[in-house]
Amino acid sequence: MRKTMKKQFPENFLWGGALAANQAEGAYQTGGKGLSISDMQPYGVIGGSMERNTDDFNIKDISIDFYHRYPDDIALFAEMGFKCLRTSIAWTRIFPEGDEEVPNENGLAFYDRLFDEMRKYHIQPLITLSHFEMPYGLVKKYGGWGNRKTIEFFERYARTVFERYKHKVKYWLTFNEINMSLFSCFTGVGLPEDSEIQDIYQALHYQLVASAKAVKACHEIIPDAKIGNMVAATSYYPLTCHPDDVLESLKKNRESLFFFDVQARGYYPSYMTRLFKEQNITLDITDEDQQALKETVDFLSLSYYMSCCATTDPNMVKSAGNMINPVENPYLASSEWGWQIDPQGLRYLLNTLYDRYQMPLFIVENGLGARDVIQDDGSIIDDYRIQYLNDHLFQVREAIEDGVQLLGYTSWGPIDLVSASTAEMSKRYGFIYVDRDDQGNGTLERRRKKSFNWYKDVISSNGNILTAPGVKNENSQ
Ligand code: P53
């Protein structure tokens, strides 16, 4: 009788979790840190930006105090068996205003301690150079990424951290969700939110060049490292099989594929020529820029939370709750924040990307933002989170079986942290609960949720305990 092949995650699969400096560290002025874009967004990405008054409340000032509590938190990640931890370096700890000649030693020393702590447990650091928090100094003085000079400042920063951490960090990402500037350009490129599309694409061009220059620097300085890009990779389905909707979904998908295309292939895809022409966009792209773009990434990374639908029908209701504002898919349920839950969409997306590029992929964010309730006995029974993650990881394994090469999976917010879009504590993603509410009350105490042991079992079994959607896992009873 023919044996059925067991579907498996690869050996050495990088299981772990993902954080970002501005949503976890707090200590927003400690050790000489300068103010960043995120410090100017007390209500999150959706809430817009405002000048900072020192007594304004911003939950991110302390966040979950990861800056001081990282040894305990990393010990908890190690207890779950993490092989990898994604976080970001706060650019403003290294170059507080962004344009200094000399880096801030105090900031550099902090990340030495942080990476040493990870390595103590054989946890690979996966480090994002910029996660939604460029120095505000660069915004004020230079107009953020609207200015070509910012490329130099970023390159200086990238080279500084590659030199400093070359023996400690072997996995890097350049810009978090580089496509997010199409939805919030202040967050991504430091431009006023009402900027013209011409200016946004220009700033993104400079950012893409800067990303390629960082890739080159990384290849030179740390030849055994791998460096990737990062895109919020939401795929669009046509809402109906009407050809108009099918073409609309092609168009919408290209909005994010554009960033993969440039960073994976090293040049602008031809479809952008028409888009730029139709929107009267003329970009300052030099020959030197085109040369720089040729330095392509080693792997492609993505965040995945939901899928969307595309239609040309103007009467379709938009689902609320996130910046992408997709058209509602009638076959899918939504999270409390209106993000439509679609595990199969992840399998579909991974296949689409692998078919297109034949490059290794890395899922560096995925997870469910939900409100958690503490039971009388102190436990937190987050079966909804277990189910979301189980169902997604099940489809990830299907994609691997389909032939997709996947380096790893870091779930978003393995410990509760401040949400990016709405700056809330109550939108929780963690396996570890943090005692803090939206007003900043709480002891910051950490507590394992039910999902903590579940994820530990997923990792120790290399995914073998995952169950088909709808089937309950014994361990998660
Ligand atoms: P929060 C919007 C849509 C999809 C992903 O988001 C997004 C955003 C912007 O918030 O961002 C990523 O915390 C981002 C993380 C963020 C995470 O998704 O709003 O890279 O910083 O925390 C989840 O629920």
Side-chain angles (χ1 to χ4, degrees):
M1 207 169 63
R2 228 169 68 106
K3 265 203 199 148
T4 38
M5 283 277 289
K6 197 161 168 48
K7 294 174 194 160
Q8 266 174 342
F9 285 85
E11 297 232 346
N12 307 324
F13 188 73
L14 291 169
W15 292 102
L19 318 170
N22 78 92
Q23 293 169 255
E25 286 177 6
Y28 85 113
Q29 286 185 309
T30 306
K33 180 186 169 295
L35 292 178
S36 75
I37 270 183
S38 164
D39 294 312
M40 305 297 158
Q41 293 178 311
Y43 306 110
V45 169
I46 290 179
S49 64
M50 44 217 74
E51 278 295 331
R52 169 104 208 177
N53 295 315
T54 35
D55 47 355
D56 283 351
F57 175 73
N58 183 339
I59 192 135
K60 289 175 280 184
D61 291 355
I62 297 177
S63 290
I64 59 158
D65 197 29
F66 184 67
Y67 183 87
H68 296 109
R69 292 165 191 254
Y70 71 86
D72 291 347
D73 294 341
I74 291 172
L76 287 168
F77 299 148
E79 191 183 324
M80 278 188 278
F82 278 24
K83 314 279 184 237
C84 175
L85 180 65
R86 174 182 177 223
T87 188
S88 61
I89 296 177
W91 186 350
T92 46
R93 290 199 194 283
I94 314 301
F95 290 98
E97 291 288 308
D99 62 353
E100 294 87 346
E101 298 274 333
V102 180
N104 171 27
E105 176 54 33
N106 195 308
L108 287 168
F110 168 67
Y111 291 104
D112 266 323
R113 296 195 296 276
L114 181 67
F115 302 150
D116 287 344
E117 197 67 22
M118 293 184 200
R119 290 168 57 85
K120 189 166 115 187
Y121 299 100
H122 306 288
I123 295 175
Q124 285 275 357
L126 165 62
I127 302 304
T128 317
L129 290 172
S130 183
H131 193 125
F132 293 166
E133 35 66 342
M134 80 181 307
Y136 191 57
L138 293 182
V139 175
K140 270 193 307 201
K141 277 190 247 172
Y142 302 91
W145 284 99
N147 192 328
R148 182 178 273 285
K149 256 191 100 54
T150 299
I151 300 175
E152 285 167 40
F153 299 132
F154 182 76
E155 194 184 352
R156 184 182 303 160
Y157 159 60
R159 285 185 177 272
T160 303
V161 297
F162 293 151
E163 281 293 349
R164 177 78 172 215
Y165 308 120
K166 62 184 168 198
H167 300 302
K168 300 183 181 179
V169 180
K170 302 295 180 183
Y171 288 91
W172 295 90
L173 302 174
T174 58
F175 294 95
N176 183 62
E177 295 192 339
I178 190 166
N179 55 325
M180 216 20 101
S181 289
L182 296 176
F183 305 96
S184 168
C185 60
F186 181 75
T187 305
V189 287
L191 294 185
E193 289 295 7
D194 57 354
S195 298
E196 301 284 333
I197 190 73
Q198 150 87 37
D199 298 330
I200 297 173
Y201 271 111
Q202 183 63 67
L204 279 166
H205 171 70
Y206 294 146
Q207 202 169 54
L208 284 164
V209 171
S211 173
K213 289 194 170 193
V215 171
K216 184 156 190 277
C218 184
H219 289 157
E220 280 167 19
I221 299 168
I222 331 177
D224 61 337
K226 288 187 198 315
I227 182 161
N229 69 338
M230 199 311 203
V231 178
T234 311
S235 49
Y236 282 86
Y237 306 141
L239 183 66
T240 70
C241 53
H242 192 293
D244 283 348
D245 285 358
V246 176
L247 277 170
E248 184 65 14
S249 71
L250 177 76
K251 195 174 121 192
K252 298 297 283 178
N253 281 321
R254 281 175 166 173
E255 284 178 5
S256 51
L257 288 172
F258 160 66
F259 297 90
F260 284 115
D261 284 346
V262 176
Q263 293 179 304
R265 297 174 178 158
Y267 54 89
Y268 275 54
S270 49
Y271 56 80
M272 290 308 274
T273 311
R274 176 169 183 170
L275 186 140
F276 290 154
K277 198 158 76 187
E278 288 181 353
Q279 302 198 25
N280 284 321
I281 295 171
T282 333
L283 297 186
D284 161 34
I285 303 180
T286 64
D287 290 346
E288 201 221 320
D289 291 350
Q290 281 174 334
Q291 204 50 41
L293 288 177
K294 288 188 184 155
E295 191 81 21
T296 53
V297 290
D298 306 316
F299 65 95
L300 304 172
S301 89
L302 55 130
S303 61
Y304 178 83
Y305 293 91
M306 64 198 130
S307 62
C308 300
C309 289
T311 179
T312 53
D313 180 349
N315 299 318
M316 285 309 302
V317 197
K318 307 262 173 176
S319 66
N322 71 71
M323 298 177 301
I324 297 172
N325 285 335
V327 178
E328 200 85 53
N329 182 332
Y331 301 101
L332 300 177
S334 296
S335 82
E336 212 183 309
W337 279 263
W339 297 22
Q340 291 208 284
I341 301 169
D342 181 10
Q344 284 165 295
L346 181 53
R347 176 181 179 185
Y348 177 78
L349 176 66
L350 292 171
N351 273 281
T352 309
L353 293 173
Y354 196 70
D355 285 352
R356 195 175 175 109
Y357 305 108
Q358 315 268 288
M359 282 174 76
L361 306 177
F362 205 140
I363 301 167
V364 299
E365 282 184 33
N366 171 236
L368 179 70
R371 284 177 216 283
D372 291 326
V373 179
I374 304 184
Q375 307 297 314
D376 291 340
D377 65 358
S379 61
I380 297 157
I381 319 284
D382 54 344
D383 287 323
Y384 35 90
R385 184 167 294 110
I386 293 173
Q387 189 185 343
Y388 178 102
L389 293 169
N390 174 81
D391 294 356
H392 281 76
L393 282 168
F394 186 88
Q395 296 298 334
V396 169
R397 191 170 60 189
E398 292 297 315
I400 292 169
E401 192 67 14
D402 293 333
V404 168
Q405 193 192 343
L406 191 68
L407 298 174
Y409 173 93
T410 55
S411 73
W412 177 249
I415 182 166
D416 294 343
L417 36 63
V418 179
S419 71
S421 40
T422 44
E424 290 163 286
M425 271 307 300
S426 47
K427 189 181 187 188
R428 297 173 182 274
Y429 286 86
F431 307 116
I432 302 163
Y433 185 89
V434 176
D435 179 24
R436 192 159 198 239
D437 69 15
D438 294 338
Q439 287 71 45
N441 307 308
T443 61
L444 289 167
E445 182 205 324
R446 277 56 170 157
R447 191 184 288 242
R448 293 170 189 76
K449 303 181 194 174
K450 183 176 177 184
S451 55
F452 184 99
N453 281 328
W454 173 81
Y455 197 49
K456 183 178 174 182
D457 293 344
V458 169
I459 297 176
S460 66
S461 69
N462 201 26
N464 284 343
I465 66 149
L466 296 170
T467 55
V471 179
K472 274 216 161 178
N473 187 295
E474 293 158 22
N475 299 328
S476 68
Q477 298 303 301

